[in-house]
Amino acid sequence: MAQYQQGVWRDEEKRQSILIFFASAFLVSIPVFFQAPLVRTFPVFSLISTLVWVFFGLKLRSNSKTYLWGDIIIGFSWSWLCGSIYWGWLRWTPAIHIPIEAIGLPFALWGIWRSWGLIGNYFYLGSLLGTAITDLYFYIAGLIPYWVEIMDSDPNLIKPMLQGAIAQVNTPWGISWAILLANILLAISLYALQQKKLHHLAFAGAVLSTIITDGLFLVAAYFGVGG
């Protein structure tokens, strides 16, 4: 009986680990594919809805059966808040993108130091790291001017700008750096996976999802240019 209970416990741990990893990967994609268009049209609504995420997270966190999901949603609420502020009112100034996205960093580090909300805080750190690496690539590949132009233009007139940005990526310099930075993110994610802690899995899922999300964004840009 004891062996059976131990086996069930291990199966439950594996199931939770898998779900936390994929939940983190999924939540990273929400700001890119859902919040970004929402915040351009309804920035105030996006900002206020942060409170809904926090309330939902705290509600789930108060229940032992849904504690883990509440934890990760609270971490996600930091990403949502920062995204609402930046993409709603400051998206024309890429230099302050990471400082705005890092608004929650002191609180996340404090939570980790206090061993509070580890899953959510590590998720936020993974998401922030992935965002920082993506921004670094934009600077290295010379894509920042296109960023500014696209953010300051009518969405119906951005096709020539996307063509220029893609041409910039499709150079030996752009491709080499994309591969290097993607491998750095992959290595960080794999290292975190080896730690086999739920908060490390949340971190790994957020970091790894950056590669997938950036790849999907690039594919969407290609189709946008070709369409």
Side-chain angles (χ1 to χ4, degrees):
M1 183 65 178
Q3 289 181 341
Y4 171 76
Q5 289 177 335
Q6 188 176 24
V8 171
W9 175 254
R10 286 178 179 174
D11 289 342
E12 179 64 20
E13 276 190 324
K14 289 179 181 178
R15 188 179 71 85
Q16 284 183 344
S17 298
I18 293 171
L19 289 175
I20 287 292
F21 176 81
F22 282 105
S24 298
F26 173 72
L27 287 173
V28 167
S29 68
I30 289 181
V32 176
F33 297 106
F34 177 70
Q35 186 185 26
L38 173 68
V39 78
R40 286 178 72 105
T41 309
F42 306 107
V44 176
F45 174 78
S46 179
L47 182 63
I48 294 175
S49 64
T50 304
L51 297 175
V52 177
W53 287 114
V54 173
F55 174 80
F56 187 47
L58 290 174
K59 191 73 175 176
L60 291 176
R61 203 172 184 275
S62 65
N63 189 321
S64 60
K65 293 182 179 179
T66 56
Y67 176 88
L68 299 178
W69 310 113
D71 209 13
I72 197 170
I73 287 175
I74 290 174
F76 169 75
S77 70
W78 280 115
S79 297
W80 185 274
L81 171 66
C82 299
S84 296
I85 295 171
Y86 180 79
W87 297 108
W89 293 278
L90 303 168
R91 59 181 177 271
W92 301 275
T93 51
I96 63 171
H97 180 217
I98 292 304
I100 296 298
E101 292 286 351
I103 286 174
L105 183 58
F107 301 95
L109 294 177
W110 177 84
I112 291 171
W113 177 60
R114 301 283 296 178
S115 296
W116 185 91
L118 289 179
I119 294 175
N121 288 325
Y122 269 88
F123 164 81
Y124 172 72
L125 289 182
S127 177
L128 181 62
L129 175 63
T131 301
I133 294 293
T134 300
D135 277 25
L136 177 62
Y137 177 75
F138 269 68
Y139 281 100
I140 291 173
L143 297 175
I144 293 299
Y146 297 103
W147 177 333
V148 176
E149 287 182 8
I150 289 172
M151 293 302 162
D152 202 30
S153 302
D154 189 302
N156 297 318
L157 303 176
I158 65 172
K159 187 173 180 178
M161 302 171 202
L162 284 176
Q163 289 174 331
I166 288 174
Q168 196 84 355
V169 171
N170 281 332
T171 61
W173 177 262
I175 293 171
S176 298
W177 274 102
I179 294 173
L180 175 61
L181 293 177
N183 277 304
I184 290 174
L185 287 173
L186 182 60
I188 292 171
S189 181
L190 292 176
Y191 175 79
L193 283 173
Q194 291 176 352
Q195 308 309 305
K196 298 180 180 179
K197 300 286 187 181
L198 288 179
H199 53 275
H200 288 133
L201 292 174
F203 177 86
V207 172
L208 186 60
S209 182
T210 301
I211 304 173
I212 300 170
T213 302
D214 287 349
L216 290 174
F217 186 79
L218 182 60
V219 169
Y222 270 108
F223 277 106
V225 169

